[in-house]
Amino acid sequence: MMPGISYLDTHYPEIPVLEIYLGYPAEKLSLGPLVAIVDTGADGTLIPQKLLDQIETPMVDTVRIRSHWGEWRRVMVFTVDMGFENLRLPAVDVIGDETGTDIILGRNVLNRLKLLLDGPGHYTQIL
């Protein structure tokens, strides 16, 4: 079992987060640790474009997505390897977010992990 990470207390209520590492597919996880927000309501994972540019990861597709406000927009999809301490998820498709600054972990990543979200204890843990 990996150690837990405290919720991010810059918002109310506090936000569950995980520390992640990013890398070009099949290469070293060269970027991180980075704080990523755990969002069980998000279908996909969003990563700021500036971080994807740093690891020069390949764009693999463009898709249309709908925000929680209901508007549609076309976005670029990239492939990265993602790490969590001793765990590595290879070839994860993520959306490059050109305007945001937060990493949002959606269900395409979260469904590959066994997580404990301890609200009263204010920490997130990968089991």
Side-chain angles (χ1 to χ4, degrees):
M1 204 165 28
M2 295 182 190
I5 181 170
S6 296
Y7 279 17
L8 191 63
D9 63 2
T10 56
H11 295 75
Y12 181 81
E14 295 175 344
I15 301 172
V17 295
L18 288 171
E19 282 187 349
I20 69 167
Y21 296 82
L22 298 173
Y24 190 91
E27 292 186 9
K28 181 182 177 205
L29 296 174
S30 59
L31 197 56
L34 303 164
V35 174
I37 295 171
V38 173
D39 186 347
T40 60
D43 293 330
T45 295
L46 282 78
I47 297 181
Q49 186 65 48
K50 66 180 183 177
L51 296 176
L52 297 173
D53 291 343
Q54 286 181 39
I55 58 174
E56 299 177 348
T57 190
M59 194 222 11
V60 294
D61 201 0
T62 59
V63 296
R64 284 185 52 205
I65 62 168
R66 189 177 76 199
S67 77
H68 60 287
W69 300 112
E71 80 265 359
W72 288 90
R73 66 181 173 135
R74 186 155 294 283
V75 296
M76 294 183 288
V77 178
F78 296 82
T79 299
V80 299
D81 280 6
M82 188 175 294
F84 305 85
E85 302 228 356
N86 297 326
L87 177 65
R88 184 178 185 129
L89 300 180
V92 176
D93 286 341
V94 299
I95 295 168
D97 186 355
E98 294 181 350
T99 59
T101 57
D102 292 322
I103 298 171
I104 308 295
L105 292 178
R107 290 192 317 271
N108 69 315
V109 169
L110 300 175
N111 285 345
R112 296 169 68 176
L113 303 173
K114 187 173 182 179
L115 289 178
L116 170 66
L117 300 178
D118 184 345
H122 303 280
Y123 72 91
T124 309
Q125 186 174 27
I126 297 175
L127 304 174

